[in-house]
Amino acid sequence: MLSCWWLRPELGGALSGRCSEPCGGAGAVPRVARLVVRQWLPGAGFRAESGERFAYDAFISYSRAADRQLALALQQGLHTFARPWYRLRALRAFRDEGSLAAGARLWGSIQRALDSSRFLILLASEQSATAPWVEREVEHWCTHRGVENVLIVLTDPPADGSGRLPGMAWDGLHSDFDWERTTALPRCLAGRFQEEPHAVPLGWARSRPELSMRDAEFRTAVAGLAAPLHGVDKDRLIGEDVRQHRRTRRHVRLAIAVLTTLTVTAASAAVVAVHQRDAARRQTALAEARQYVAQSRTVSDPYAAVAFALAAEQRVTPALPEARAAFGEAGQRLGDWGTRLVGEVSLEQPGGIAVVRWSGDGSRVWTAGFNGVSYWSVREGRSVVSGRWAVDPGTGPLSPDGLKWGPDGRSLLVSLHDAYGTRNWYLLRDAATGRVTAGPFPLSPGEDSVEAMDLAPRGDVLAAASQDGIRRWDVTTGRPLEGPLPGSHGFTYGLTWSPDGTRLAAASRTGLAVWDARQGTQLWAKRTAHPAGDISWSPDGRHLATACSGAVQWWDADTGTATATDVSAQENGLENNYNQVRWSPDGTRVAASDFAGTIRLWDARTGTRIGPPLAQSSKHDLDSFAWSPDSRYLVGVFVNGGGRWDSNGPRSSLLRLWEVQPPAPDEGRLPGPTDNVLAVAWSPDGRRVAAGSADDTVQVWDPRTRRVLPGSTLRPRFPSDRIKGITWDPAGRRLLRVGYQGLETWTPASPAGPSQPWWGSGDALTAAWSPDGRMVASGTSQGQVSIWDPATGRPTPWQPCQTVACGGAHGPVQSVVWSPDGRRLAAARADGSLYLWDLGHRRLLGPAPRPSPQLARAMAWSPDGRLIAVSGADGTVHFRDGDTGKPSPIVLKAGDDTVEALAWSPDSTRLATGDGGGTIEMWDPLRGLLLQRRDAAHPGGVTSLSWSPDGDQLVSGGEDRTVRLWRGYTEQQICRLVDPALHRTPGTPALSGVTGAAADICAHPSRLRNYPVLPLLPAR
């Protein structure tokens, strides 16, 4: 018999306990006893140290049918009881369902687990006593390990409710279980125990719905089982569990504190990083917005300027003040431009001069030289050399010296000369193949050189001018048709057929002449002061334009009367003479070029210059230019390389394409006034515009059609009744006319006509309706301020200022205005003093009125009631607080002359000013920012301004006898204009940098932020 002793460290290393003979009895194979030492580790509980490591501290044997949930709860309890915070488990207990993996040998796996466990925990019950697997596990354990480390847990509740152990009874006389009363233990334990074992009763646990370590009774039972597994007393183990729990809580709190600190630190760092990132993004956005502003103000193309200004506005929210100003400037340029360079391309020109023409659909520009043709696809932005050909050997010693496109665009007329330059010939080539289709034929009977030639519109007759006169030739046969035209002579610089082919016009050194080409008779001839270098018919054949020495002239083609002359080139001392002139196909523009290659434009109706000259090229000579069929584009071909008449070798050509803006029909002008316009007013419903002029008439227009409404013209009742102002009532039904005879109301287009002047209202200079329409305030030239009942035309009981010297001050009242809420009334005298009355208390508000060097000219109360704007004769606008009348520090330098007109936008964000010099300016008054400026809006001076109720349009009247409508674009509308304009002609070097920015900004128009419009573009 082998005995083994347990070293108990808590007993000072004394030996205790013993191992009896293994349970196998006789024949059992003795096993070498394992010496196990339980070592106490400070802060770590107990840890097993032995020569042979155990994989499990305990093996739980149970009946699945009876104790599955209890076995699981016990396993989890043993794992967590007295567990240090840093370890996964305090003990490792084997339970077949939770520990076994899938395998081919179930019993072998269980056997290995039994052999690797230090203790066997038997969940004993009547069901487990008869369970084959439980009995087999217990028998294997007793056979190989004995019963020393067997822990019994009774799971059946006592049948009689007493405290006796259920299913287990001990017979002390025989030192064995009383098997007649023991029903919970397997029979293999018979004779195994020499003393009664201490069993843990857990029969009560079956009735608990949930078992956990939060259950104090279950926790105590787990402690009783865990104590022998740890090798310590139960009380000490419970104390250790409490210590571990407290230690775990401390560590959890510490961990929470550390994590909280780290979280707060990380969050703070993240907030700082986000703030720094946002600040960096804001700085980047501000820098980019200011860069766009600079680009908008420096770029030459108006659409590019608007695109950059739009990008500057959208880059920062809200828009920078300078971005708003740049948008206003660019928007005005959008309405002022005449031409813009939209294309520039280099292409190889095969030999000689280059003449240019457009395809019929306007999609291509063709250029021709002596040795071939090439074209530029305008819409695709690419150039192609279409064909090359050698000079036809049949021409012998003749050399080409002139080239013209045929009217059909399929043929080329080539003029030739001999080595001496005296013999002149011509031939026709097919423009696609270069094949000679007619000629060469001689052009002059003698040795006279040809000075000018032109093909008839049908291409069948050639007219050529030489020293002996102008002759006509059959193109295909070379046969002369008749002799020289009568009155034709040498030194002819320009020769052209009329559009219908019935007339010929010639410009010579001495004058201008026109012939009937069918009859061969001269219709008229005029001598001119300037030699004409070129001539062009208008598309309708009714007019002629000539390019002279430093001048361009327009003529009536039927009578020969000069209708207009521009001699600005001579007046400016320009040395270059105009040598080419072209009438646009729509007849509205005339373009002329000089020998330096500069192209200028004129309005064909008035003969006035349009816009600046088109840029010339210092390295290229202008050969020719042409209008597109729709008159929208003008193309010039500039040639470089070799002499102008050199036909040998390729030459480089530079094509430049300009877009020409169609002329505005009337620049927003409303017809009717015959004298200076003194007052304008937009009706509150936005459907009518009224104006009074110095001819003492009042007219009303529909702003959409720009037509005077029938029956809406009001003429003076008395010859001496001079008009001073007009204003609509708040309902928009009646007009109040302010005249020398007094105040009178009038409903436009009403058959009743105007009312009689109100008694005692004479000498009025200004008047205004109250916001509710129940009162009218007026001011006179004698300084009186009165309030009237418009229903009766009589004064109200209380009058602010009825004496001639109101408040001890003299001088006319320039303007009276009501506050938007109707509770206050303001009056401005010509001496610059401002009166502000509280109508509810009938008293004067603010500081005592005093004259000002500003000398007031106009006044306007902002619709939000915050500010009163007063303009002066010194070109400034000062502001007063709308509640107190106290001066505001805001001062605008709004003009170089007297500011005669003020008008607030309906949203109070913009203030329009008009001065005596004819300039209208648009301001952001709160920031003192000039947003837009329109010079020469009314030559002679602006007298009155009024906003449309929606704030999108402005009407102005001036001393030029005109009423003009002005409108603005929203950002979304600008995108619809800019995006197609910048992408209309691909391959434009000057615009390549802005098209991408425009595409990014305008890709999603619905996302754009619309700011209040700046309406200083002429309404079209």
Side-chain angles (χ1 to χ4, degrees), residues 818-820 860-869 880 882 904-906 908-909:
W818 295 83
S819 66
W861 207 314
S862 65
D864 61 6
R866 296 172 58 188
L867 293 174
I868 303 173
R880 298 288 187 96
W904 286 91
S905 64
S908 302
T909 62

Side-chain angles (χ1 to χ4, degrees), residues 56-261:
Y56 301 100
D57 291 287
F59 183 101
I60 301 176
S61 180
Y62 65 99
S63 169
R64 292 185 181 180
D67 300 317
R68 172 177 289 180
Q69 296 302 323
L70 180 59
L72 175 61
L74 279 177
Q75 183 187 34
Q76 294 174 347
L78 292 174
H79 285 171
T80 59
F81 193 81
R83 179 181 64 85
W85 64 272
Y86 56 88
R87 292 181 61 182
L88 183 61
R89 301 183 185 91
L91 295 170
R92 190 177 183 194
F94 177 89
R95 182 178 59 86
D96 54 0
E97 283 188 325
S99 304
L100 276 180
R105 299 179 59 193
L106 177 58
W107 171 246
S109 299
I110 292 177
Q111 184 179 359
R112 286 193 298 273
L114 285 166
D115 293 340
S116 300
S117 300
R118 292 194 298 113
F119 282 83
L120 174 68
I121 298 177
L122 172 62
L123 302 188
S125 65
E126 290 186 3
Q127 287 181 283
S128 65
T130 58
W133 280 99
V134 174
E135 186 174 6
R136 191 173 183 183
E137 289 167 354
V138 172
E139 185 175 2
H140 179 84
W141 181 275
C142 292
T143 302
H144 296 85
R145 302 286 295 279
V147 295
E148 186 68 23
N149 287 355
V150 175
L151 304 179
I152 299 175
V153 178
L154 299 176
T155 62
D156 286 334
D160 56 0
S162 65
R164 294 183 302 171
L165 294 179
M168 189 182 85
W170 182 262
D171 185 355
L173 181 62
H174 297 89
S175 298
D176 195 4
F177 294 104
D178 185 351
W179 291 105
E180 291 182 0
R181 293 182 299 161
T182 299
T183 60
L185 299 178
R187 297 289 295 187
C188 69
L189 289 178
R192 304 287 186 178
F193 288 88
Q194 296 184 10
E195 294 182 10
E196 181 180 2
H198 176 66
V200 178
L202 279 181
W204 52 268
R206 286 189 179 179
S207 61
R208 301 290 172 89
E210 181 181 356
L211 290 175
S212 69
M213 296 300 287
R214 291 187 296 273
D215 189 326
E217 189 174 1
F218 181 69
R219 189 179 188 87
T220 301
V222 171
L225 289 173
L229 298 180
H230 284 285
V232 296
D233 294 337
K234 180 179 179 180
D235 293 340
R236 188 173 180 183
L237 184 62
I238 293 175
E240 178 63 19
D241 178 66
V242 173
R243 284 193 299 273
Q244 291 296 341
H245 179 67
R246 291 174 178 173
R247 184 177 299 159
T248 300
R249 291 181 61 185
R250 287 197 302 270
H251 283 90
V252 169
R253 292 194 189 102
L254 179 61
I256 292 174
V258 171
L259 290 176
T260 302
T261 302

Side-chain angles (χ1 to χ4, degrees), residues 314 972 1004-1009:
Q314 301 297 313
Q972 292 181 356
H1004 304 284
S1006 61
R1007 301 180 187 176
L1008 292 176
R1009 295 183 297 275

Side-chain angles (χ1 to χ4, degrees), residues 332 336 666-667 896-897 913-921 932-943 945 956-960 962 964 966 1016 1018:
Q332 185 169 330
D336 293 343
D666 52 14
E667 295 293 335
D896 300 327
D897 208 324
T913 64
D915 65 22
T919 300
I920 300 178
E921 293 178 326
Q932 206 170 22
R933 177 186 176 99
R934 168 67 64 173
D935 293 316
H938 288 276
V942 180
T943 58
L945 296 168
S956 64
E959 294 179 355
D960 59 345
T962 62
R964 295 186 183 275
W966 309 92
L1016 283 185

Side-chain angles (χ1 to χ4, degrees), residues 991-1014:
L991 302 180
S992 59
V994 72
T995 51
D1000 291 341
I1001 293 297
C1002 297
H1004 304 284
S1006 61
R1007 301 180 187 176
L1008 292 176
R1009 295 183 297 275
N1010 281 337
Y1011 293 96
V1013 300
L1014 305 176

Side-chain angles (χ1 to χ4, degrees), residues 333-348:
R333 289 175 59 187
L334 195 62
D336 293 343
W337 69 275
T339 59
R340 52 187 289 260
L341 180 68
V342 296
E344 186 174 289
V345 64
S346 296
L347 70 160
E348 183 182 331

Side-chain angles (χ1 to χ4, degrees), residues 641-695:
R644 177 176 175 82
W645 308 107
D646 183 10
S647 62
N648 298 320
R651 304 172 67 200
S652 64
S653 295
L654 181 67
L655 286 181
R656 283 185 171 175
L657 182 69
W658 292 272
E659 184 177 10
V660 181
Q661 178 164 278
D666 52 14
E667 295 293 335
R669 181 174 177 173
L670 298 180
T674 60
D675 207 335
N676 296 346
V677 177
L678 303 179
V680 294
W682 212 303
S683 66
D685 60 6
R687 299 170 59 185
R688 289 164 292 175
V689 169
S693 57
D695 58 8

